[in-house]
Structure formats: C-alpha cells, structure tokens
Amino acid sequence: MKVFKRISWFIKEEKWSYILGILCLTFIAILNLLPSRIVGIVIDEIVKGTLTHESLLMYTAATLFIAVIIYLARYGWRVFIFATSYRLERKIRLNLFRHLTRMSPSFFQEHRTGDLMAHATNDIRAIQRVASNGVLQFADAFIGGFTILAAMTFTISWKLTLFAVLPMPIMIIGSQKLGKLIHSKFMESQEAFSALNNRVHESISGIKVTKTFGQEQEEVIQFAKDSDDVLEKQMQVTKYDTLFDPLVMGVLIIIYIIVFSFGIYLIQTGELTTGLLTTFISYIHQLLWPMMALGFLFNNVERGNVALDRIEKIMNVKEDIVNHDLIQLESFEGDLEFNIKGFKYPDEKDSYAIEDLAFTLKEGQTLGVVGKTGSGKSTLLKLLLREYDDYEGYILYDKKNIKDINLHNLRQAIGYVPQENFLFSMTIEDNIRFGHPSASFDDVVKAAKTAGVHEDILGFEEGYQTLIGEKGVTLSGGQRQRVSIARALLLDSNILILDDSLSAVDAKTEELILEGLKENRKDSTTIILAHRLSALKHADLILVMDQGKVIERGNHASLIKDNGWYAMIFKQQEFAKEQEHHA
C-alpha cells in the first residue's frame, strides 16, 4: 500500500474531504446492516406467528427511511472523495507540464512526444483512480468488512463467524500474488501504449511525407503491429485482472457451504433462529463487495504504483539550465559580447561544436552568420538562448553574464524565429499575438506588414481570423515563415534572431522584409543566419563559420574584397539568380 504513502501529501492537503467521505462510507456500512436485521426479525415473527400489519408497516417505513439516508450518504462520499481526486489529477498534470516546460531540448531528444503524452494522460488517470476508487475500495474492504464481521460476531454468533472467516486467507494471499503479476504486466502495457501513442503522433505529424512517398500502406501495417502489441500486453493484464472475481466467488462459495452446514446445526441445537441465520447469510452476501473491493484495491494500487514510477522517473530528471535569478533586467538594451573558448554537446565529447568564438555586437547593429551545414551557426544561437550552459568562456548582455540573468527575463529581451516555423492551430491573429497577448490589432497589422505577409492574409476569406490548422498546415512555407517573423516582431525585443527564416520567400519579398526590418529596428540588435547571402548585405558584421570556428569576418564589402569563401558563394548565388532571371 505504499502508493497511499506516496500521495499522502495530497491526502493531508484534502484531509477534511477524505475524512468526511470516509465518515459517509462508515455511516453507509452501518446502515446497510439494518435492512438485513429487519428481514431477520420479520422472518422470526412470521415463524412465531406474532407479525402484525402495524409492525410490518413500521418495518417497511423504517427500511424506506434507511434507503433515503443511504442515498444521501452515497451522494456525499462521491462529492468528498471522487471530486477531490480530480484535483489531484489536475495538480500532477500541471506539475508535469510545468516540469516539461523547464526542460532543455536535449530532454526532448531523449523522450519521445508520444511517451510524454501517455504520461500526461493514462499514467495520471491511473493515479487519480487510486485517490478515488482506491480510497473507496480501501474503506469498503476494511471499514465495511470490519463492520459486517463485527455485526456477525456480536449480534448473531461468534462461532459461526469464526468458521465463516476460515477461507479468507486464501483470498488475501491470492490477491497479493495477482497484484504482483499485474504490476509487471501493467508496466509493459503502459510502455506499449506509449510506443503506440508516439507512432500515432509521428504518423499524423508526418502525413504529408507519408503520402508523398506513397507509404500509407506500410504505415498502416506498422500501426497494426503496434496496436497488436498493445492489445497483447493489455490482454495479459486483463488475464490476471479477471482472476480476482473467480477467486472471490470461489472463496464465497466455500463460505456459503460452511455457513449453511454449521448454521443448520446451530438451529438444531437452539443456538440460532431461522431469522438470525437468514440475517447472517444476508451479511455474507454483503461481505461479497468488501471481498471484491480488496481484490480491486490490489489491482488499482499496483497500477497506481506503476504510473507513479513512470511519472517520477520523468519528474526526477534535473534541469540542464539552472535559473540563478541573480539579475532582473529593468531595461532591455545594451551590447552583446561573445567570448567562447569551447563548447561540446553532451553526446559529442570528442569534438568542439564551437571553438574560439569572440565578437562584440553594439546595440542597434546587425550580425550576419553564414557557413556550411554543421558549421556551428545554430549552436551560437542556442548558447545565446541558454539552451546549453556548459561552455568555456562567457556571453555578456549589457555587460552582464547571461548565466546570472533571470532566464525568463533574458528570453523576454530576445525575439526568435527558428528554422522550423511552428504555428498553433488557431487564427492568424492569435498566432501573431502569441508572445504578446495584450497587443492591439493595429500592432498585429503593423508587424504583419513589416514581415511582408499582410497582403497574403487579406487574401484569405476570413482575413486575420483565418484558422490555419495544426502547425500552419493551410499556409505555404513562405507564409508560415512570415507569420513567424511577424510574431517575433510584435514583441519589439531588443534582440531579434532570424535563423534562416527567409529561405522560403522569393528574393523580392526578402528585400522588402529586410528593408522593413532596417527601418523599424534601426535602434535594435538583429542577428541573421542565412544561406542566401543577399540577406546579409546591410549587416554591420558578418561571421563566416566552419567546423565551429570563425574563418572570415567583416562586412559585405570587405568580405567580397577578401575574395574568400564568402565572396565565392555570393558570386555563385548571384550567377544562379541571373541565370534564373534570363530563363
């Protein structure tokens, strides 16, 4: 029963709800004894011939009154216990989600989305059932069972009760063994469900790729295999789960045989009346639920323990980035200074992702970063955004080490448009307003115009109220990029990062966007990562990177004059543009 100890913090928080709920259950357990006792009295009076119409009416009215009180008490425990358990579900889910939002990208590389979704749904629901059904079953098994056994012992016959409980150890030992088997099988079942969840998530997210390559049938076959695996694992859980009922019923039949045999003997000896034996048998029937509740309790407890193990494994993962919270930025302005001696990714200990990187970017200047794929461009941004902190050297913003600045505060100073533009399944207006929910509609339009997407939006039937679907599925690649740029511009951050965010727009649109940025952000810092070098013509400083090192630096004119890698790529791109124009 360690699962109750593990959620004891919540039970203490909601102790009065649980106390009142258990009191209702105790009250019900006591009241449930009375109708059976009334039936026994009526039978004895019938045997003696002393039953009258008045007494029968009185017994009937008493039974109806008891039924009404039991009804109200049942409503009470459901409110106090079941409603309270949903608050536990909410707390755990909120804590889990809050924990996930603090995790770094490396965490999400190790843990699949479908698996995390399974934790947030199935696992948490299993814990909620412990706090609701588990508490009910615990109270019914022990309070209800004790109450019935006490009534059997002290109001009817302690001898008959002693014989009746002899088979009980069979059920207790059997339930414990089945509980252990369910624990291991339920763990396998949950892991299989996580894999299936991940399969569904990936298949739906990548449906365009699946259709493009004509792999629909293969995906269906793989999904069927994963579904069969889940079914097989769940059937194994069900196999042991369903053994609880036959176990209880088997024990109950043995009890009935013992009670009938010994009860008739006690009637013959005058130690028991027919009415009392009837009441005793009725109590045995009522004892069926506490016995079954004990089996269900073992089942729920084991499922809850498995679910808690899985969630605690996630919750125990430490944050890679520690928010020291030493400095709160009052104003988002200042120079940016990089001095990185070396940085290696946690899973790549042999080679530096960035080495000997040093530069200073004055407030209001534009930095361009170019280089081959894997040269370290995106890594530079990840260090600035504090996705990783384990590097040799420092990064200063307004002469303050970014590791000492409140993490949320730092990221408020940065507007970021990533390579992979993620849009939410809501209106275009709400997507642009995502980082600044209180922004006016005029500000939204201004940002859209600067990003060069305003006219496209007006072309939609619903305009800014157009629902764009999950991940912006209804928009083109260029439109998604520009909406993402508008979202970052609306923040009016001191530092704007464009991580190859103009790759899906044509050269003319790119020029218009860059001119708009130059005009609207002349006093703010901009960092542009690009493969198309024409996007960097106006940059104050351009870094050319290769294998984590800066191999060229300067502005556009000086780099063309140096006739190095930058000049070669620029000439190639310009030649390709001319060829395309003439074609």
Side-chain angles (χ1 to χ4, degrees):
M1 299 297 174
K2 64 177 181 179
V3 67
F4 288 110
K5 185 177 181 181
R6 295 168 77 180
I7 62 170
S8 60
W9 59 271
F10 177 76
I11 294 175
K12 288 176 183 176
E13 281 183 15
E14 301 287 347
K15 62 182 178 182
W16 284 112
S17 293
Y18 280 110
I19 288 171
L20 291 172
I22 290 172
L23 284 175
C24 286
L25 288 169
T26 305
F27 192 47
I28 292 168
I30 295 170
L31 289 178
N32 273 333
L33 300 172
L34 299 181
S36 298
R37 187 71 187 98
I38 291 172
V39 170
I41 293 170
V42 169
I43 289 174
D44 278 341
E45 290 192 7
I46 291 172
V47 171
K48 295 176 183 177
T50 58
L51 183 66
T52 64
H53 289 291
E54 291 77 12
S55 60
L56 181 60
L57 185 62
M58 181 186 68
Y59 292 141
T60 303
T63 303
L64 289 174
F65 178 74
I66 291 167
V68 171
I69 300 300
I70 289 175
Y71 173 84
L72 295 174
R74 287 188 186 280
Y75 174 81
W77 75 252
R78 280 176 170 79
V79 170
F80 292 126
I81 295 178
F82 274 23
T84 300
S85 71
Y86 291 119
R87 289 196 284 273
L88 172 64
E89 182 179 359
R90 177 187 175 276
K91 280 177 180 283
I92 296 177
R93 185 172 287 120
L94 185 60
N95 288 339
L96 177 62
F97 188 78
R98 187 180 288 119
H99 180 72
L100 294 178
T101 60
R102 291 196 294 262
M103 291 295 100
S104 64
S106 60
F107 172 86
F108 295 99
Q109 290 172 2
E110 296 173 9
H111 298 85
R112 298 175 301 177
T113 302
D115 190 31
L116 297 176
M117 290 170 64
H119 287 310
T121 52
N122 266 24
D123 287 336
I124 291 177
R125 182 56 57 85
I127 298 169
Q128 180 267 331
R129 289 194 185 105
V130 172
S132 55
N133 291 334
V135 172
L136 166 65
Q137 290 152 3
F138 182 87
D140 280 345
F142 293 99
I143 296 176
F146 175 80
T147 304
I148 294 169
L149 288 172
M152 291 161 63
T153 302
F154 298 110
T155 66
I156 300 179
S157 170
W158 66 268
K159 293 179 183 178
L160 192 57
T161 304
L162 181 61
F163 276 90
V165 299
L166 287 177
M168 289 290 188
I170 299 173
M171 190 195 67
I172 295 172
I173 294 170
S175 296
Q176 288 178 332
K177 290 187 178 297
L178 288 173
K180 290 177 181 178
L181 290 169
I182 285 175
H183 183 96
S184 61
K185 296 302 179 183
F186 187 67
M187 175 69 82
E188 294 174 7
S189 172
Q190 290 296 83
E191 289 172 354
F193 179 78
S194 293
L196 180 66
N197 224 17
N198 199 63
R199 167 66 59 182
V200 173
H201 178 265
E202 287 184 349
S203 296
I204 293 175
S205 298
I207 192 66
K208 285 187 176 180
V209 177
T210 301
K211 287 182 173 293
T212 301
F213 284 88
Q215 293 296 304
E216 296 95 329
Q217 189 59 36
E218 285 72 10
E219 283 291 294
V220 171
I221 292 170
Q222 186 57 52
F223 180 79
K225 288 180 180 178
D226 290 343
S227 296
D228 288 343
D229 185 47
V230 172
L231 177 61
E232 182 184 345
K233 298 289 195 305
Q234 289 180 338
M235 288 300 290
Q236 289 176 2
V237 175
T238 304
K239 179 177 71 174
Y240 295 116
D241 190 11
T242 52
L243 287 176
F244 277 112
D245 284 0
L247 175 65
V248 171
M249 292 305 298
V251 171
L252 190 66
I253 289 170
I254 296 172
I255 292 174
Y256 272 129
I257 293 171
I258 293 172
V259 168
F260 271 114
S261 301
F262 193 62
I264 292 170
Y265 168 75
L266 292 178
I267 291 174
Q268 290 174 343
T269 60
E271 294 184 46
L272 208 64
T273 65
T274 305
L276 285 175
L277 180 59
T278 303
T279 301
F280 194 92
I281 292 170
S282 178
Y283 286 163
I284 291 293
H285 185 72
Q286 289 183 40
L287 196 60
L288 172 63
W289 168 241
M291 291 167 64
M292 294 184 69
L294 186 63
F296 294 148
L297 176 63
F298 279 113
N299 189 348
N300 266 323
V301 162
E302 292 304 334
R303 289 171 184 251
N305 272 321
V306 169
L308 269 170
D309 288 341
R310 283 164 52 85
I311 287 179
E312 285 180 358
K313 185 178 178 181
I314 295 293
M315 296 294 288
N316 288 335
V317 177
K318 300 297 182 184
E319 301 172 44
D320 292 339
I321 308 302
V322 179
N323 187 9
H324 294 295
D325 203 13
L326 299 177
I327 300 172
Q328 285 277 350
L329 296 175
E330 296 181 2
S331 60
F332 301 117
E333 56 187 21
D335 300 340
L336 191 62
E337 183 180 349
F338 269 70
N339 192 335
I340 305 296
K341 301 298 182 185
F343 167 72
K344 298 177 181 179
Y345 282 105
D347 54 348
E348 297 178 6
K349 297 294 185 182
D350 295 333
S351 59
Y352 283 103
I354 283 184
E355 190 175 5
D356 297 326
L357 173 65
F359 67 88
T360 299
L361 192 64
K362 298 291 184 182
E363 184 180 8
Q365 289 187 330
T366 297
L367 170 69
V369 186
V370 296
K372 301 175 184 177
T373 301
S375 61
K377 304 186 300 295
S378 294
T379 303
L380 182 153
L381 299 184
K382 290 175 181 178
L383 299 186
L384 175 59
L385 291 165
R386 286 196 65 197
E387 292 184 9
Y388 299 93
D389 270 354
D390 189 17
Y391 54 82
E392 303 168 37
Y394 58 83
I395 301 173
L396 303 181
Y397 178 52
D398 193 21
K399 299 181 180 180
K400 303 175 184 69
N401 194 316
I402 64 170
K403 292 182 182 180
D404 297 330
I405 300 173
N406 175 275
L407 187 58
H408 180 70
N409 202 214
L410 172 68
R411 289 174 179 169
Q412 280 184 316
I414 301 173
Y416 178 45
V417 185
Q419 284 180 329
E420 298 179 3
N421 309 114
F422 187 94
L423 298 180
F424 296 91
S425 183
M426 50 191 182
T427 66
I428 294 175
E429 180 183 349
D430 288 336
N431 266 285
I432 295 175
R433 198 184 263 137
F434 180 75
H436 188 1
S438 61
S440 67
F441 180 70
D442 290 340
D443 290 335
V444 171
V445 172
K446 181 181 176 183
K449 286 180 177 179
T450 304
V453 73
H454 175 68
E455 296 300 326
D456 293 54
I457 295 172
L458 294 183
F460 296 124
E461 185 176 345
E462 300 293 331
Y464 280 86
Q465 297 306 310
T466 302
L467 287 168
I468 61 175
E470 189 175 0
K471 295 185 180 180
V473 68
T474 57
L475 303 182
S476 69
Q479 289 169 336
R480 285 199 297 271
Q481 281 193 337
R482 285 175 283 158
V483 170
S484 297
I485 292 171
R487 180 169 61 192
L489 288 173
L490 189 63
L491 294 175
D492 196 24
S493 304
N494 187 55
I495 301 173
L496 175 65
I497 298 173
L498 302 179
D499 187 358
D500 200 23
S501 303
L502 300 171
S503 59
V505 300
D506 58 68
K508 183 179 178 181
T509 304
E510 177 190 85
E511 189 64 31
L512 289 172
I513 293 172
L514 291 172
E515 284 298 322
L517 291 175
K518 190 175 180 180
E519 176 64 27
N520 288 279
R521 292 186 54 79
K522 54 188 175 183
D523 297 324
S524 301
T525 304
T526 305
I527 300 175
I528 302 175
L529 274 64
H531 285 94
R532 195 156 56 196
L533 304 188
S534 58
L536 306 178
K537 284 183 178 180
H538 71 288
D540 299 285
L541 174 64
I542 300 172
L543 302 178
V544 181
M545 298 188 69
D546 185 35
Q547 295 183 348
K549 295 182 179 180
V550 176
I551 58 173
E552 297 178 47
R553 70 171 65 209
N555 58 26
H556 178 76
S558 66
L559 288 171
I560 294 294
K561 186 177 179 181
D562 289 343
N563 204 29
W565 184 90
Y566 182 91
M568 179 184 69
I569 298 299
F570 180 75
K571 289 172 185 176
Q572 289 176 358
Q573 291 180 355
E574 288 298 301
F575 177 75
K577 191 187 300 182
E578 287 180 17
Q579 292 294 105
E580 187 178 330
H581 177 72
H582 290 306

